Amino acid sequence: MSSSHTVDPISALRAGDAGQTDRALEILSTVFGYDSFRGEQSAIIEQVASGGDAVVLMPTGGGKSLCYQIPALLREGTGIVVSPLIALMADQVAALEGVGIRAAYLNSTLDYQEAQAVEQQLLAGELDLLYMAPERLVLPRTQDLLRRAQLALFAIDEAHCVSQWGHDFRPDYLGLSVLAEAFPTVPRVALTATATESTHRELTERLRMQDAKHFVSSFDRPNIQYRIEPKASPREQLLRLITSEHEGESGIVYCLSRKSVETTAQWLADRGIPALPYHAGLDARVRQDHQERFLRAEGLIMVATIAFGMGIDKPDVRFVAHLDLPKSIEGYYQETGRAGRDGQPSTAWMAYGLGDVVSQRKFIDAGDGDEQFKRNARSHLDAMLALCETVSCRRVQLLRYFGQESEPCGNCDTCLQPPQTWDATVAAQKLLSALIRLDRERGQKFGSGQVIEVLLGRENERSTQSRHAELSVWGIGGELSEKEWRTTLRQLLARGIVEAEGDYGVLVPGPQAGPVLRGEVTVELAVDRAPAKASRSRPGRGGGGGSSRAAEGLETAERERFEALRAWRTSVAREKQIPPYMVFSDATLVAIVQLQPRSVAELGSVSGVGAKKLAEYGDGILEALPG
Ligand code: ADP
Ligand code: ZN
């Protein structure tokens, strides 16, 4: 799984006389090809390399991997990486081998012989990093194996999975609490991109990391543009987003149900947009195949349930779209965080409507789980709704949810097109009165459709039967159209002024209704903007669809060289059966094009070109670069 000639430079670095910080920097540059650490990377590496524990909260794309990879290289022995994502381990290991690190994984995809070979490598001290899933790690047999090996550290990736309060609980993670006692001298680093205070607290406790140093980065993802628009015809809206802003680019579309995943993927494919479905109901082989195609192809769209995406580190996902309301802000932020890991402009887009609010509430009420569980789910949903209905900066609200204060960002829909608001106090009172009258005088509760008919005074079978026209609230809402009432109702639901109740989602006055009815508060609501008005101000793109956002600023001659390098990269990736971005990122290709290196040595100075890749690809690149 690893070739011995690549070992030497790294063991030389490990053994070097230089101070730890210098050696870390040297590894960063010779192995990974980068010249400086980002954010808190250096401090985290220092902490773990010198044997301390660390809890690392860093947004997706922040650079968490180096925080355990480099300490594992600096310390004697093997770094054990715990990850729930078996399907991605092969790629992760391939990427590490690509830069000359001795890595392997132990999971159920290996047969007995293969697993034996890896165990031997571990015991012989021939591995820098070893990946495994938590359920494997806690087996007595594995514990025994690890006790016989020399361990550099434990890295617990996706550490939020240990939190039951959070959105991604994996029971197997609970077993990791044994590590503190079983291996008291081995430093542990827990990493996650989910960062609410409650999740942070819970993972610290469950993983017994009370004595660790905590590193909490800014959670902002400035290159992601957040947009949430009213749902009219969601697929058409999605199609418009793709064709007007993301033609030929990679993206992820999230849907709630398996069925809508299937139909949406088909619908896109019928319109000439390359799209594949992904959900837990598909055969494991099909899932793996679709995931691999998504990682390797450029410009493919994955239509998926939330079963897809954790640990996917494809850097050039240009948009993440939600066709249904996520259940929590944590989930939403993780999912949208999969866009733009490479730091290039990207879009997080969502369509959301009245139906989403009603069905999610219903889903929670009808679901099993105790009252505490439901209360949790409701408060998650309420926070999500507040984000959808906010009239101020979405980013400010998102970051505040993670405990960080910020200024309006200028790169979300509400900043770019501040929504108009109107005084909806009277409308809210009329609606509440209608609910109260229908209940008191007829003993009836209805869903949104019939309530709006009453407000508009529109006769139908049911209203005739129940003599609704005799009620004082009949037709009192004529100043708004049906569509405006739906918008209003959606926002009143989101604010708890109205509630949807029971299996049928019938409407009742919510906990916030009292002050509104008594006229003690005014209700300021947003006017829905027209859907899918692209607000991105994008520079015109040269070249055709499928060109990289990273290459946007290039001149014609440079673009030609860039395309030549891309073609070279595609052929190398195909030959090695790895995703193109594992050969080099777009950003690295652009840097090469701009530098126009004439020698292998010059090429080595480009960010992202480490020693191993330079030796492996240097000549090929120089040959592929036209004139
Ligand atoms: P995370 O796991 O936090 O989502 P990754 O570890 O995958 O993020 O890093 C995201 C991207 O940033 C990767 O392409 C990685 O190579 C790159 N990266 C990380 N640290 C640095 C650095 N110090 N300089 C340049 N690029 C970096
Ligand atoms: Zn903003």
Side-chain angles (χ1 to χ4, degrees):
M1 205 153 270
S2 60
S3 40
S4 55
H5 71 274
T6 59
V7 184
D8 303 326
I10 293 174
S11 29
L13 287 171
R14 174 165 23 217
D17 306 323
Q20 192 169 275
T21 315
D22 290 344
R23 284 185 296 142
L25 258 175
E26 215 175 321
I27 292 178
L28 181 73
S29 104
T30 41
V31 179
F32 295 95
Y34 301 134
D35 9 288
S36 55
F37 284 114
R38 277 192 199 155
E40 304 227 62
Q41 279 176 333
S42 180
I44 298 164
I45 290 167
E46 178 81 43
Q47 164 77 359
V48 180
S50 53
D53 295 340
V55 174
V56 175
L57 276 56
M58 206 186 261
T60 312
K64 284 186 284 301
S65 322
L66 293 186
C67 298
Y68 58 84
Q69 288 165 355
I70 293 183
L73 296 177
L74 285 169
R75 292 175 62 82
E76 288 298 331
T78 306
I80 305 295
V81 186
V82 186
S83 155
L85 306 159
I86 289 176
L88 294 172
M89 287 180 186
D91 271 359
Q92 286 168 327
V93 164
L96 289 168
E97 289 179 330
V99 297
I101 292 173
R102 303 170 306 169
Y105 57 85
L106 267 181
N107 66 30
S108 50
T109 67
L110 300 184
D111 64 26
Y112 180 76
Q113 252 97 37
E114 289 168 325
Q116 282 286 308
V118 171
E119 291 182 6
Q120 285 315 313
Q121 284 182 303
L122 171 70
L123 293 174
E126 290 169 4
L127 292 175
D128 298 312
L129 286 161
L130 175 61
Y131 286 72
M132 61 177 81
E135 61 270 24
R136 179 119 187 172
L137 179 68
V138 298
L139 294 178
R141 202 182 161 280
T142 313
Q143 297 271 308
D144 192 51
L145 171 75
L146 295 181
R147 258 189 289 275
R148 285 183 288 136
Q150 184 170 20
L151 301 185
L153 55 86
F154 287 105
I156 301 162
D157 208 4
E158 314 286 356
H160 63 278
C161 290
V162 78
S163 156
Q164 277 163 318
W165 192 87
H167 60 103
D168 222 356
F169 175 55
R170 313 243 166 161
D172 286 324
Y173 261 69
L174 292 176
L176 297 176
S177 63
V178 305
L179 292 180
E181 254 172 49
F183 300 92
T185 57
V186 181
R188 293 172 300 142
V189 47
L191 312 102
T192 176
T194 292
T196 55
E197 268 176 42
S198 359
T199 305
H200 184 182
R201 211 176 315 121
E202 198 180 340
L203 80 86
T204 302
E205 199 176 302
R206 287 189 191 279
L207 294 175
R208 316 236 166 116
M209 303 282 281
Q210 285 88 347
D211 297 330
K213 237 184 176 164
H214 295 244
F215 298 88
V216 182
S217 305
S218 163
F219 264 71
D220 191 15
R221 299 287 309 280
N223 60 312
I224 299 181
Q225 183 176 93
Y226 297 97
R227 285 160 33 196
I228 300 177
E229 67 181 45
K231 203 184 252 188
S233 45
R235 283 178 194 161
E236 297 288 349
Q237 288 168 271
L238 172 68
L239 185 64
R240 219 162 342 165
L241 171 81
I242 295 169
T243 53
S244 67
E245 298 176 55
H246 294 289
E247 183 105 55
E249 297 180 334
S250 297
I252 306 175
V253 178
Y254 283 108
C255 304
L256 217 51
S257 74
R258 295 173 183 183
K259 181 155 170 279
S260 63
V261 162
E262 302 262 354
T263 52
T264 304
Q266 188 59 48
W267 190 90
L268 286 174
D270 290 344
R271 278 150 193 81
I273 310 275
L276 292 174
Y278 188 104
H279 58 72
L282 290 172
D283 185 74
R285 269 199 315 265
V286 175
R287 260 183 295 159
Q288 180 74 15
D289 173 56
H290 288 187
Q291 175 174 302
E292 261 162 37
R293 277 157 72 185
F294 177 70
L295 293 177
R296 281 159 177 68
E298 303 186 50
L300 190 61
I301 291 172
M302 190 70 113
V303 185
T305 57
I306 54 170
F308 176 74
M310 205 207 310
I312 295 285
D313 53 6
K314 186 173 168 62
D316 56 355
V317 174
R318 287 277 72 85
F319 70 92
V320 170
H322 282 93
L323 290 186
D324 295 300
L325 185 71
K327 292 183 173 52
S328 70
I329 290 192
E330 285 90 335
Y332 171 76
Y333 207 62
Q334 282 241 330
E335 285 144 28
T336 54
R338 290 168 190 144
R341 281 175 178 247
D342 55 7
Q344 302 295 320
S346 309
T347 311
W349 177 90
M350 176 161 101
Y352 132 91
L354 175 58
D356 286 304
V357 190
V358 175
S359 65
Q360 293 256 11
R361 284 257 155 85
K362 225 160 55 183
F363 187 74
I364 295 172
D365 290 342
D368 25 80
D370 55 17
E371 209 24 60
Q372 174 63 29
F373 178 84
K374 289 185 180 177
R375 245 200 315 276
N376 256 347
R378 279 189 210 110
S379 78
H380 280 304
L381 178 60
D382 286 343
M384 189 64 223
L385 291 175
L387 174 72
C388 293
E389 298 295 358
T390 185
V391 292
S392 53
C393 176
R394 303 230 194 252
R395 194 180 313 266
V396 166
Q397 187 148 342
L398 277 169
L399 293 177
R400 185 172 299 145
Y401 190 78
F402 297 114
Q404 297 176 351
E405 289 304 321
S406 62
E407 295 295 312
C409 71
N411 191 27
C412 71
D413 52 1
T414 49
C415 279
L416 291 164
Q417 286 185 308
Q420 293 178 344
T421 58
W422 62 292
D423 184 343
T425 314
V426 174
Q429 288 166 339
K430 287 180 177 174
L431 194 133
L432 288 168
S433 309
L435 300 182
I436 292 168
R437 293 281 156 210
L438 282 166
D439 188 14
R440 283 209 196 129
E441 295 179 25
R442 295 287 184 273
Q444 293 175 324
K445 290 176 180 164
F446 293 109
S448 56
Q450 185 68 14
V451 173
I452 292 173
E453 297 289 76
V454 169
L455 286 165
L456 294 174
R458 291 205 296 222
E459 203 61 67
N460 60 25
E461 207 176 310
R462 209 187 254 157
S463 54
T464 312
Q465 234 171 42
S466 305
R467 294 173 293 106
H468 285 164
E470 291 168 20
L471 297 172
S472 59
V473 291
W474 181 254
I476 54 168
E479 72 275 24
L480 298 183
S481 68
E482 180 184 336
K483 184 163 167 284
E484 286 164 336
W485 271 118
R486 292 184 69 82
T487 301
T488 303
L489 191 47
R490 189 193 74 222
Q491 298 183 59
L492 295 178
L493 275 162
R495 293 182 188 203
I497 295 171
V498 174
E499 254 181 359
E501 198 182 69
D503 286 354
Y504 300 102
V506 296
L507 302 176
V508 294
Q512 310 300 326
V516 175
L517 279 168
R518 293 192 294 272
E520 292 163 10
V521 293
T522 56
V523 182
E524 202 64 29
L525 295 185
V527 179
D528 269 357
R529 66 190 90 225
K533 236 189 173 172
S535 50
R536 179 191 293 289
S537 51
R538 280 185 54 183
R541 284 200 281 161
S547 264
S548 160
R549 192 67 65 83
E552 252 167 26
L554 296 180
E555 294 158 14
T556 319
E558 287 176 331
R559 180 169 289 277
E560 227 167 78
R561 289 201 293 274
F562 177 79
E563 294 303 337
L565 284 187
R566 251 163 63 107
W568 166 83
R569 179 177 69 179
T570 307
S571 70
V572 172
R574 202 163 289 150
E575 190 185 310
K576 304 199 123 200
Q577 302 194 342
I578 54 176
Y581 63 82
M582 266 190 207
V583 181
F584 285 117
S585 70
D586 282 356
T588 299
L589 294 193
V590 167
I592 294 172
V593 160
Q594 286 171 335
L595 180 73
Q596 288 206 59
R598 307 208 175 275
S599 65
V600 171
E602 237 183 302
L603 182 61
S605 69
V606 172
S607 175
V609 184
K612 170 143 194 255
K613 287 190 178 174
L614 186 64
E616 195 165 354
Y617 302 128
D619 293 330
I621 291 179
L622 293 177
E623 259 168 50
L625 265 179

